[in-house]
Amino acid sequence: MPRLTIASGPHQGEQIEVPKGTFTLGRAETNDFPFDDGSVSGRHCQITVTDFAVRIKDLGSTNGTFVNDRQVEEAELANGQTLTLGTLKFRLEVEPAHIAIPELPSVETLPPTSLPDGTAACYNHSDVAADLRCVQCHRTFCESCVKVLRLVGGKSRVFCPACSGSCQPIGPSAAKPKPKSFATRFWDTIRIPFRRPTDNQTEPRA
């Protein structure tokens, strides 16, 4: 909070804290900050405090309002500058803003997770080969660990159980052969391969 330190007169060294808002200074008791001094007008000046500045505005005083010994109608009062009302002098003191920068959490470094043969292992099951890898956190999972969103009439989407990122298959996706039906397998069992007759064989005549 800005403070006005009295720099002259019998009250030298005393401080007035000025909160955010607009206030009047002068000799009259109706002011927000009254001063019993004959050189100060009844309503001498106005002070406005915001988050970014302290401004002074003269209210038609007899002896004028001065910032660093320069008479002003309206001006910004900076930290360390002197405000003069008649014979009274004040010094503005503003505490520097404290900006706290939050400490960012450290990025988790994932240990290498693989099977003895070098195949990527599931993050949750270290003895199971991984089928999918998260594109966001790069963890690898087996099919039983991931979240699957099945879309009606479209392709299913797979999500990481740790960060909800999208998961992609590990390595080239080989198309799995379509399982044969029972009828096809039965026909393959009983089917006799067709052989063409050799030169030494003659086809039976009708």
Side-chain angles (χ1 to χ4, degrees):
M1 183 182 298
R3 295 189 299 269
L4 290 174
T5 301
I6 301 175
S8 65
H11 299 286
Q12 183 176 356
E14 293 183 6
Q15 292 183 333
I16 304 170
E17 291 189 344
V18 188
K20 285 191 297 184
T22 299
F23 310 93
T24 57
L25 292 77
R27 191 176 67 255
E29 292 292 332
T30 55
N31 288 285
D32 298 295
F33 299 103
F35 302 98
D36 186 14
D37 188 291
S39 66
V40 178
S41 297
R43 292 182 76 250
H44 198 107
C45 71
Q46 174 182 287
I47 182 170
T48 302
V49 180
T50 67
D51 289 329
F52 308 102
V54 177
R55 296 195 64 83
I56 299 295
K57 180 180 180 181
D58 186 79
L59 298 178
S61 64
T62 302
N63 295 323
T65 299
F66 296 79
V67 173
N68 274 9
D69 298 327
R70 181 175 63 88
Q71 187 171 1
V72 297
E73 293 295 329
E74 186 172 357
E76 183 173 321
L77 185 63
N79 184 35
Q81 289 186 327
T82 300
L83 171 67
T84 303
L85 311 178
T87 59
L88 289 180
K89 289 184 179 293
F90 306 86
R91 185 178 64 256
L92 179 66
E93 296 180 0
V94 181
E95 293 182 358
H98 176 68
I99 302 176
I101 301 177
E103 183 178 352
L104 297 176
S106 58
V107 179
E108 180 184 2
T109 303
L110 300 177
T113 308
S114 59
L115 299 177
D117 61 356
T119 305
C122 175
Y123 184 81
N124 295 329
H125 309 99
S126 58
D127 58 342
V128 177
D131 304 299
L132 302 140
R133 184 188 306 276
C134 175
V135 299
Q136 183 167 300
C137 70
H138 306 294
R139 292 181 172 93
T140 54
F141 298 95
C142 62
E143 291 183 349
S144 62
C145 289
V146 295
K147 302 174 183 178
V148 181
L149 176 62
R150 304 189 186 281
L151 304 177
V152 177
K155 186 178 180 180
S156 298
R157 298 183 61 185
V158 184
F159 297 96
C160 172
C163 70
S164 298
S166 177
C167 287
Q168 300 294 335
I170 296 176
S173 55
K176 295 182 179 180
K178 186 176 179 181
K180 296 182 179 181
S181 65
F182 173 77
T184 301
R185 287 186 279 111
F186 178 75
W187 174 251
D188 289 343
T189 303
I190 65 174
R191 185 174 56 189
I192 301 174
F194 174 76
R195 295 182 181 179
R196 297 184 61 182
T198 62
D199 296 338
N200 298 327
Q201 294 178 335
T202 57
E203 296 183 0
R205 296 180 181 179

